[in-house]
Amino acid sequence: MDKVGANFIPHVQGLRAIAVLAVVLYHFWPGRLSGGYVGVDIFFVISGFLITAHLARELTSTGSVKLGQFWARRARRLLPASLLVLLFSAIVASVPLLSPTSQLPAQLKEIVASTFYVENWYLALNSADYLAHSGDPTMVQHYWSLSLEEQFYVLWPLIMLLAAWIAVKFFRGSRLRAAAIAIGVVSVASFVFCVVYTLTNPAPAYFVTFGRMWQFGVGALLALVPRLRVQNAIGSFILGWGGIIVLLVVIYRFDGQTPFPGYMAAIPTLAAAAVIAASNTQRWWYPTRILAIRPMRFTGDISYSLYLWHWPLIIIAPSVPFWGLTIYHRVALVGICFLLAWLTKRFVEDPLRTWKPLTARRPRVSLWAALAAMVIVAGVSGAGWAANASTYDAGVAAIAQLRANPPACFGAAAVLDASCAGKKTDEILPAPGFAGVDRPEESQCFVQLNDARAVSCEFGSKDPSAKQVALIGDSHAYQLLTTFQAIAEKEGWHLTTFFKGACPWNTTPLSTGGAFGDACTQYRAAVAQKLQQKHFDVIFTAALSTTPYSANGQGSSYEAAVAGYKAAWATQTSKGTPVVTVVDNPVWETDPNKCLRTRAQSACDGTRADVLTEKDPLRAAADGAKDVTLLDFTKVYCDDTLCRTVVGGANIYRDQDHLTVTFVNSLAPQYTAALKQAMGVAG
């Protein structure tokens, strides 16, 4: 995401504008530009082209590359704006009024990782899924691409220098030809690795450095092989506009289900390369001229700071009083992002890149100054934790106390218990700033991503004569775990669990392709085998209502999902094991706690049409099915028009679609009664 001195090509700035607008608009409206994430891939190609061209000029003129000067220039160009946004994020994360305290550890860890440009590896090792729109992303998650680029800036000149040295030392060959060959070999190996790793481990594959090097390599080869840049008028016209059209189609048509990066990343990568390669500028309607118009060049000029600022503001905005996520708020926020980006470019990026106290001294002065600034940002993050650690610990203790001794008429009881009619409370428990940590603690029981192991956990009574209860499903079943553990302990039952993220107990394949879909299929088969090997007195299952299923020969994916649930349950009901299930809870666009922290409860309600899946396939599958009991708590969440975020003082959600443990606990009497009735146990 860099412009190299005066040697940049004007239309490349326009391509940079396309890239940053794709990413920004994707993050603001993911449903509208579902493939906007490929803007990052465009940036990688541009960086590979510009940086390699710069290195090639120096290698040709001097026979070498002054690494210290190169890295010092990169530091002066990139770190001031980057560290400014990180410092801002660290301060915001440390102020409870601006950011939920429950997110503080995750925020500060990723800020430190981003400060030292290892955010991509932090996310890869923690198996984050960048294309999944669930969970609680931090303010600096987007720094993964900047971290990867910085790693590229370290490795790339070393690769070119090594190739040049080998060519001169042993083969008396051309330095640039040797560099091109070396980069070509690295790029091919990187692409093969990317394709294979995306198939086997798609979440970390999105972030790991070597899986992305080929995209820089494509841009680099354009710089090293002049013949690849097309001067012919017709060829340049076709290549340039063809590349732009492909990019626009990809930005519009790709989505979270696209196997990415993998082989599909070659489409936007080669399209971006085609735009760069189109070099003829004779006519005003050529892409090289259109991309170089003033608005495009202005957006390209501020693209680096625009990329830095937009994501923290998106994360923070819902927590700001009197702000929201309406179309007007989003458009206004886009304008604010542009203003901040211009101010940062004008008063931070440009002045510090040419600041004489650094440029007039040896490169190591710039590098040491950069390191000192990084340490300061990390120190502010550490101070933020030190200032809030006691508050965080107190919040954890308060949730434990709440679970042990909930108030009377708390949560679902306010609706389901007739004796609670008319009783109201303005208190919200757990507090909106801390609901995020109110989750099950047995994470080892939850299988994620491409893991196909049928991991089971055992809780409750060890008496062989105890009733055997199974809890099976995706994360919406896992959110019930703590409550079901308590039920099993209280009733003297034995609880066995099987959980896999985004993989409900259903025989219909997911529409999600690649290794994740395959892992879900394999996991289900393994679970089915384990269920056949053990007798259960009852099985409880729950699932996200919006899980994407394939049509699987049915009239629609919905019908296929219904048929798949019926088939999975029939494997157990056919041998006399009853099944209990529950209609899914509402799903929100963003975490309701962000609204509750700054607004009245009533202002945070949502319409049924926006947050509730009226046609939950679980409901249809259970309708009329033998030995299947359906629980429906929709009236707890919603009235005829609105769905609530707080019921009976209980904070229902810990994120946009998962329930807090304290709220689930308030439904324990209903779960217990349904299980007992299914097993024929006296209540």
Side-chain angles (χ1 to χ4, degrees):
M1 300 179 187
D2 181 44
K3 180 176 73 178
V4 182
N7 294 299
F8 77 103
I9 300 174
H11 77 275
V12 173
Q13 284 299 87
L15 181 60
R16 197 196 306 271
I18 292 176
V20 75
L21 289 175
V23 174
V24 170
L25 296 179
Y26 163 65
H27 284 152
F28 273 97
W29 292 281
R32 301 293 179 87
L33 291 179
S34 57
Y37 55 84
V38 302
V40 172
D41 303 79
I42 301 172
F43 276 129
F44 291 162
V45 179
I46 294 172
S47 292
F49 172 72
L50 294 176
I51 293 302
T52 305
H54 172 85
L55 292 170
R57 287 191 294 270
E58 186 173 352
L59 193 60
T60 300
S61 61
T62 67
S64 184
V65 173
K66 295 180 179 179
L67 293 176
Q69 288 187 4
F70 173 77
W71 288 329
R73 283 194 297 268
R74 297 297 89 224
R76 291 194 300 268
R77 168 68 180 89
L78 300 174
L79 265 63
S82 172
L83 294 179
L84 172 66
V85 175
L86 287 173
L87 182 63
F88 167 82
S89 300
I91 293 171
V92 169
S94 302
V95 178
L97 291 176
L98 299 175
S99 181
T101 306
S102 60
Q103 278 197 286
L104 184 64
Q107 294 277 16
L108 296 182
K109 286 177 183 177
E110 291 196 30
I111 289 171
V112 172
S114 299
T115 299
F116 294 101
Y117 289 95
V118 291
E119 171 71 353
N120 63 316
W121 286 105
Y122 179 89
L123 293 176
L125 294 174
N126 286 277
S127 297
D129 187 349
Y130 185 72
L131 303 184
H133 305 295
S134 62
D136 296 305
T138 69
M139 287 182 283
V140 297
Q141 181 170 294
H142 64 314
Y143 269 71
W144 74 268
S145 64
L146 304 179
S147 299
L148 201 152
E149 286 211 22
E150 288 294 336
Q151 294 156 26
F152 161 75
Y153 295 143
V154 172
L155 294 173
W156 215 243
L158 296 177
I159 293 173
M160 292 183 65
L161 279 176
L162 178 61
W165 179 79
I166 291 174
V168 173
K169 182 75 173 178
F170 298 103
F171 302 104
R172 299 177 184 269
S174 165
R175 292 182 176 88
L176 292 187
R177 184 181 299 114
I181 293 172
I183 288 172
V185 171
V186 169
S187 298
V188 170
S190 171
F191 180 72
V192 172
F193 173 83
C194 176
V195 171
V196 173
Y197 202 45
T198 299
L199 291 173
T200 57
N201 293 281
Y206 200 88
F207 303 106
V208 296
T209 306
F210 191 64
R212 295 289 194 156
M213 294 295 280
W214 65 276
Q215 296 179 294
F216 295 96
V218 168
L221 291 175
L222 284 176
L224 293 173
V225 185
R227 292 180 181 178
L228 294 176
R229 301 199 289 277
V230 179
Q231 295 289 340
N232 175 270
I234 295 177
S236 181
F237 178 86
I238 294 174
L239 201 62
W241 281 118
I244 291 172
I245 291 170
V246 169
L247 287 176
L248 295 179
V249 170
V250 165
I251 289 168
Y252 182 72
R253 296 299 299 272
F254 276 21
D255 56 27
Q257 306 304 318
T258 304
F260 208 86
Y263 63 91
M264 295 298 285
I267 299 175
T269 299
L270 295 177
V275 176
I276 296 174
S279 303
N280 192 292
T281 60
Q282 291 180 358
R283 301 288 186 269
W284 70 265
W285 61 82
Y286 284 11
T288 47
R289 295 282 290 276
I290 297 296
L291 288 177
I293 63 175
R294 186 178 296 274
M296 297 295 285
R297 289 184 62 176
F298 170 77
T299 304
D301 285 343
I302 66 169
S303 60
Y304 179 59
S305 288
L306 182 58
Y307 182 84
L308 289 173
W309 279 112
H310 85 282
W311 184 248
L313 296 186
I314 288 174
I315 297 298
I316 296 166
S319 298
V320 176
F322 311 112
W323 199 268
L325 289 174
T326 67
I327 181 66
Y328 306 105
H329 289 113
R330 295 184 193 221
V331 170
L333 196 59
V334 170
I336 293 171
C337 291
F338 268 83
L339 177 60
L340 281 175
W342 176 79
L343 290 172
T344 304
K345 175 74 164 58
R346 175 70 176 81
F347 297 105
V348 178
E349 287 188 59
D350 291 344
L352 289 179
R353 186 173 68 250
T354 57
W355 195 35
K356 286 189 177 180
L358 295 179
T359 58
R361 290 176 170 80
R362 293 183 177 182
R364 63 170 176 260
V365 175
S366 293
L367 296 175
W368 279 111
L371 180 60
M374 294 163 76
V375 170
I376 290 173
V377 174
V380 171
S381 300
W385 172 250
N388 290 279
S390 59
T391 303
Y392 183 87
D393 293 339
V396 172
I399 287 177
Q401 178 64 25
L402 176 62
R403 291 183 188 178
N405 297 291
C409 295
F410 181 71
V415 177
L416 300 176
D417 188 341
S419 66
C420 295
K423 296 183 179 179
K424 295 183 179 180
T425 177
D426 293 328
E427 188 174 18
I428 303 176
L429 299 173
F434 223 82
V437 300
D438 192 10
R439 62 182 68 219
E441 298 171 356
E442 308 290 345
S443 59
Q444 76 280 3
C445 303
F446 188 71
V447 176
Q448 300 190 61
L449 299 170
N450 297 337
D451 191 345
R453 296 174 300 129
V455 174
S456 63
C457 290
E458 311 288 332
F459 304 97
S461 174
K462 296 181 180 180
D463 187 340
S465 63
K467 292 291 185 182
Q468 299 293 315
V469 179
L471 178 58
I472 306 174
D474 58 12
S475 61
H476 280 217
Y478 175 68
Q479 68 186 1
L480 310 178
L481 174 57
T482 303
T483 302
F484 273 60
Q485 285 178 262
I487 292 173
E489 291 287 350
K490 180 180 178 181
E491 300 295 335
W493 299 340
H494 183 83
L495 176 65
T496 303
T497 67
F498 295 96
F499 306 117
K500 178 170 171 58
C503 184
W505 186 31
N506 191 304
T507 61
T508 299
L510 302 179
S511 63
T512 310
F516 181 83
D518 293 340
C520 181
T521 300
Q522 295 168 22
Y523 168 84
R524 288 170 171 174
V527 169
Q529 186 175 10
K530 286 197 172 187
L531 292 177
Q532 292 297 331
Q533 294 171 352
K534 183 176 179 179
H535 167 74
F536 289 97
D537 294 288
V538 66
I539 296 177
F540 194 101
T541 187
L544 176 69
S545 60
T546 57
T547 299
Y549 292 95
S550 66
N552 201 38
Q554 300 285 334
S556 66
S557 59
Y558 171 78
E559 293 174 7
V562 173
Y565 282 124
K566 289 183 176 180
W569 302 344
T571 62
Q572 295 300 305
T573 56
S574 62
K575 62 179 186 177
T577 301
V579 172
V580 181
T581 188
V582 61
V583 174
D584 194 26
N585 54 263
V587 174
W588 300 73
E589 183 180 6
T590 189
D591 185 354
N593 286 284
K594 293 180 178 180
C595 176
L596 290 171
R597 293 177 67 245
T598 57
R599 299 168 182 82
Q601 294 179 29
S602 59
C604 300
D605 293 340
T607 62
R608 285 179 67 117
D610 289 338
V611 301
L612 185 66
T613 304
E614 296 287 359
K615 291 184 64 177
D616 187 339
L618 273 170
R619 186 199 303 273
D623 185 26
K626 186 176 182 295
D627 290 330
V628 176
T629 301
L630 178 69
L631 297 176
D632 187 352
F633 300 122
T634 301
K635 70 177 183 180
V636 176
Y637 305 113
C638 311
D639 57 26
D640 292 339
T641 57
L642 297 175
C643 293
R644 297 174 284 269
T645 55
V646 179
V647 171
N651 193 340
I652 300 177
Y653 300 96
R654 59 178 166 86
D655 57 31
Q656 56 262 52
D657 68 294
H658 293 103
L659 306 176
T660 60
V661 170
T662 50
F663 175 78
V664 176
N665 284 347
S666 72
L667 288 167
Q670 285 70 37
Y671 291 130
T672 304
L675 293 170
K676 285 184 175 181
Q677 184 177 6
M679 291 187 290
V681 176

